[in-house]
């Protein structure tokens, strides 16, 4: 039998193949462009302003975003906008994902003016309106000029929140401060008008800034000296509902804001006294506007169980209240009474604002056999007496049950315990930091290793040497000198994230402040 000659492409056919590869067709699904490595450049040429979502087919957060993303694409298309939305399956298009530093899903980037080099990370909300407003802010004027009543009316009608500056003369310092504020806020549309008919339609008699919203009191008028800072404070205090439900959609608004103190009501939405609890919560919220965000979390929802766990709560303990502050350190507070009345909530929040509350630190109960094994088991309740025992040198691993690096370390840590089990003055111990908190040590990544040398001065030394039996032994024998210097090992798992989660670019801001919520928000490669 004769074998067919292998296909030998002529130069002409090679050129043709290349040409085909370059102009690969761009298909659309529900107004969203489907991009691949072969048509990415082409898409940027054809659509200079393009928002690209890098997703994974299995990612729940991507699925939740899909209908809103498509809706945003449709809204822009219907308006005849030149802004397009696109998506890339990052599990298939690994080269593109790598090129743009995609580490989690969804990662959304905005390519402006056909520029491929430094796209801007999309960081606003996950509803169609949020997406459209953010894109318009990025491409158009910070505040739209409203010359007719109908323009002002539709700006208000089409948006959950809109801000209008009423200025007879748009060149005044006040008007300029208004534009500066408009430039600083991504996800709310701004309008500016000097039109008499617009003034009278909204019953405005002198220069003013008004925030219109589809909830609570419907409209807030700025009162005070017109400066960018004052306007931002005013908008921040009024742009969110008095009470917000924690959901995937509202999360970016909750974290992205400047209000870093949050009171959380964990309550089953289906319970018969839900409305009563909410009325009390809302009543208390009025006095803390702009100071504390009032958030409620449906304690029956599966996705929210990690959050309950983080606060040491069980489903059956709800309804319950907790307060958390996200300043430099995350600190939690628990009310003294479990009865949820407006009065109790106001008392609790007032004590917090006045700095009179003591942080609430979680602890498990002391296990009966905590000191049976060579590696001692510490919890919040026995930490102090063991770690700060002036006669002992105590070496402690702060771990998370789900953390991969901790699991790798476990057998070595056990060997270290065995090595020192008969020592008079060395104690090797471990503590589950997801269930126990202590004032003296704030854990930001797992595992964290700290040494508490003997003596009265309550010293704490970080261990950052090699995680080997030899490294640990050297460290202990040198009294915490060798291996106590930074070794640049920074790839540990951020505290309170799901197993082996790297931080997602999408929510880096959130992660920094609020790792526990964050873990519920981004599914990572």
């Amino acid at each position: 039998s004769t074998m067919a000659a292998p296909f030998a492409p002529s130069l002409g056919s090679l050129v043709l193949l290349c040409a085909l590869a370059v102009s690969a067709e761009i298909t659309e699904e529900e107004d969203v462009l489907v991009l691949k490595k072969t048509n990415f450049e082409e898409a940027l040429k054809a659509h200079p302003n393009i928002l690209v979502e890098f997703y994974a087919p299995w990612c729940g957060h991507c699925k939740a975003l899909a209908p809103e993303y498509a809706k945003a694409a449709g809204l822009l298309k219907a308006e005849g906008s030149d802004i397009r939305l696109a998506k890339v399956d990052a599990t298939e298009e690994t080269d593109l994902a790598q090129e743009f530093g995609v580490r989690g899903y969804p990662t959304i980037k905005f390519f402006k003016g056909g520029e491929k080099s430094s796209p801007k990370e999309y960081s606003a909300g996950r509803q169609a309106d949020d997406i459209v407003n953010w894109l318009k802010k990025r491409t158009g004027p910070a505040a739209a000029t409203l010359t007719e009543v109908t323009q002002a009316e539709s700006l208000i009608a089409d948006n959950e929140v809109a801000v209008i500056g009423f200025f007879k003369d748009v060149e005044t310092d006040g008007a300029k401060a208004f534009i500066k504020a408009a430039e600083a806020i991504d996800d709310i549309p701004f309008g500016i008008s000097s039109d008499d008919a617009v003034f009278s339609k909204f019953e405005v008699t002198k220069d003013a800034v008004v925030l219109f919203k589809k909830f609570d009191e419907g409209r807030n008028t700025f009162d005070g000296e017109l400066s960018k800072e004052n306007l931002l404070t005013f908008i921040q205090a009024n742009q969110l509902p008095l009470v917000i439900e924690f959901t995937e959609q509202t999360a970016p608004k909750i974290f992205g804001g400047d209000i870093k103190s949050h009171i959380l009501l964990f309550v089953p939405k289906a319970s018969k006294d839900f409305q009563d609890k909410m009325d009390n919560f809302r009543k208390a919220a009025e006095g803390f506007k702009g100071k504390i965000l009032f958030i409620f979390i449906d304690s029956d929802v599966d996705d929210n169980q990690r959050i309950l766990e983080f606060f040491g709560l069980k489903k059956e303990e709800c309804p319950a209240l907790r307060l958390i502050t996200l300043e430099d350190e995350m600190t939690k507070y628990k009310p003294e009474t479990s009865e949820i009345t407006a009065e109790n909530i106001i008392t609790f929040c007032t004590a917090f604002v006045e700095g009179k509350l003591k942080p609430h630190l979680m602890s498990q109960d002391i296990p009966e056999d905590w000191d049976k094994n060579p590696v001692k088991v510490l919890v919040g309740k026995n930490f102090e007496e063991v770690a700060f025992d002036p006669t002992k040198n105590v070496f402690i691993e702060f771990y998370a049950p789900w953390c991969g690096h901790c699991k790798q370390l476990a057998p070595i840590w056990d060997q270290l315990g065995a090595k020192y089990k008969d020592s008079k003055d060395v104690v090797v111990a471990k503590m589950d930091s997801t269930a126990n908190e202590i004032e003296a040590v704030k854990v930001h990544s797992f595992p964290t290793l700290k040494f508490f040398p003997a003596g009265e001065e309550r010293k704490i030394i970080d261990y950052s040497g090699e995680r080997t039996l030899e490294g640990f032994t050297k460290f202990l024998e040198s009294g915490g000198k060798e291996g106590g210097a930074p070794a640049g090992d920074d790839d540990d798992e951020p505290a309170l994230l799901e197993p082996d989660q790297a931080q997602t670019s999408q929510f880096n801001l959130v992660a920094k402040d609020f790792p526990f919520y964050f873990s519920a928000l981004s599914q990572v490669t």
Side-chain angles (χ1 to χ4, degrees), residues 22 28 66 83 86 88 105 161 341 347 373 417 426 451 509 511 520:
V22 170
E28 277 187 31
I83 306 169
V88 170
Y105 305 122
V161 178
T341 64
T347 307
N373 292 319
V426 172
F451 179 56
L509 285 167

Side-chain angles (χ1 to χ4, degrees), residues 291-470:
K291 291 195 188 96
I292 299 175
L293 278 188
F294 278 62
I295 299 159
F296 77 92
I297 294 177
D298 186 347
S299 54
D300 280 346
V301 173
D302 286 347
D303 277 356
N304 292 338
Q305 296 316 303
R306 290 257 316 159
I307 301 171
L308 266 78
E309 196 184 299
F310 176 78
F311 282 94
L313 281 170
K314 294 186 175 56
K315 243 184 189 175
E316 43 282 8
E317 295 174 81
C318 298
L321 281 173
R322 291 293 184 271
L323 199 152
I324 183 162
T325 167
L326 310 174
E327 295 306 339
D328 303 332
E329 288 294 353
M330 189 159 45
T331 312
K332 301 176 220 168
Y333 301 89
K334 175 184 175 178
E336 286 180 0
T337 157
S338 58
E339 200 193 345
I340 295 168
T341 64
E343 196 181 351
N344 286 347
I345 301 168
I346 291 168
T347 307
F348 180 49
C349 290
T350 306
F352 166 74
V353 171
E354 292 172 357
K356 291 178 181 162
L357 288 186
K358 278 192 90 65
H360 167 60
L361 301 168
M362 290 193 301
S363 175
Q364 292 168 307
D365 288 329
I366 302 175
E368 278 173 28
D369 59 355
W370 74 272
D371 61 350
K372 186 183 83 165
N373 292 319
V375 174
K376 309 303 169 203
V377 178
L378 301 187
V379 296
K381 292 176 180 172
N382 66 353
F383 181 86
E384 186 73 16
E385 56 190 301
V386 177
F388 292 113
D389 179 338
T391 66
K392 300 275 194 283
N393 294 295
V394 188
F395 199 8
I396 303 174
E397 176 202 5
F398 299 89
Y399 73 95
W402 46 253
C403 147
H405 292 167
C406 303
K407 287 175 187 154
Q408 285 165 3
L409 179 61
I412 304 170
W413 204 247
D414 287 341
Q415 286 170 6
L416 185 69
K419 184 167 185 169
Y420 286 96
K421 73 176 196 296
D422 300 323
S423 164
K424 294 276 178 285
D425 63 350
V426 172
V427 176
V428 178
K430 63 181 181 181
M431 185 173 96
D432 174 355
S433 281
T434 64
N436 299 283
E437 297 167 315
I438 47 188
E439 200 119 20
V441 177
K442 298 284 189 205
V443 176
H444 297 288
S445 65
F446 298 124
T448 288
L449 306 174
K450 290 184 186 281
F451 179 56
F452 299 75
E456 297 289 351
E457 56 271 23
R458 296 172 67 92
K459 262 173 73 173
I460 304 177
I461 297 170
D462 285 322
Y463 179 77
S464 44
E466 280 189 13
R467 292 180 190 158
T468 58
L469 185 60
E470 193 186 1

Side-chain angles (χ1 to χ4, degrees), residues 484-509:
D489 182 11
D490 260 343
D491 63 344
D492 289 328
E493 296 167 36
L496 308 159
L497 293 188
E498 275 291 333
D500 298 313
Q501 279 198 349
Q503 292 186 354
T504 322
S505 49
Q506 182 66 26
F507 278 102
N508 260 347
L509 285 167

Side-chain angles (χ1 to χ4, degrees), residues 147-310:
T147 53
E148 292 168 27
V149 170
T150 51
Q151 291 175 314
E153 285 175 331
S154 50
L155 182 72
I156 295 163
D158 294 347
N159 295 286
E160 187 80 357
V161 178
V163 181
I164 297 180
F166 297 85
F167 294 98
K168 286 291 185 207
D169 174 2
V170 295
E171 293 303 316
T172 58
D173 288 346
K176 285 177 182 163
F178 176 75
I179 297 293
K180 284 265 187 292
E183 284 165 356
I185 294 181
D186 283 335
D187 48 358
I188 298 176
F190 282 65
I192 188 166
S193 184
S194 46
D195 182 77
D196 290 343
V198 176
F199 269 68
S200 62
K201 168 72 194 170
F202 297 101
E203 297 168 6
V204 173
T205 49
K206 56 181 199 303
D207 284 2
V209 173
V210 182
L211 181 141
F212 296 91
K213 57 191 181 186
K214 291 185 175 161
F215 48 84
D216 298 347
E217 62 277 53
R219 163 175 182 163
N220 307 98
T221 302
F222 174 77
D223 182 25
E225 187 200 339
L226 282 167
S227 71
K228 175 186 162 184
E229 281 64 36
N230 292 348
L231 283 167
L232 291 178
T233 304
F234 159 74
I235 292 163
Q236 176 202 315
N238 292 293
Q239 68 171 342
L240 292 173
L242 207 50
V243 171
I244 314 165
E245 179 172 10
F246 176 81
T247 65
E248 185 157 341
Q249 276 72 32
T250 59
K253 293 192 170 97
I254 292 170
F255 309 129
D258 295 319
I259 302 173
K260 297 296 182 206
S261 302
H262 300 175
I263 185 167
L264 310 168
L265 171 62
F266 295 88
V267 59
K269 252 177 146 173
S271 63
K272 55 184 188 303
D273 61 348
F274 171 73
Q275 206 42 58
D276 174 59
K277 295 278 181 283
M278 287 305 291
D279 292 344
N280 277 288
F281 197 51
R282 173 176 294 277
K283 193 175 165 191
E286 287 163 8
F288 298 96
K289 211 162 143 182
K291 291 195 188 96
I292 299 175
L293 278 188
F294 278 62
I295 299 159
F296 77 92
I297 294 177
D298 186 347
S299 54
D300 280 346
V301 173
D302 286 347
D303 277 356
N304 292 338
Q305 296 316 303
R306 290 257 316 159
I307 301 171
L308 266 78
E309 196 184 299
F310 176 78

Side-chain angles (χ1 to χ4, degrees), residues 69-84:
Y69 198 73
K71 187 176 160 193
L75 287 168
L76 289 164
K77 209 172 168 184
E79 284 178 15
S81 166
D82 70 344
I83 306 169
R84 295 304 305 268

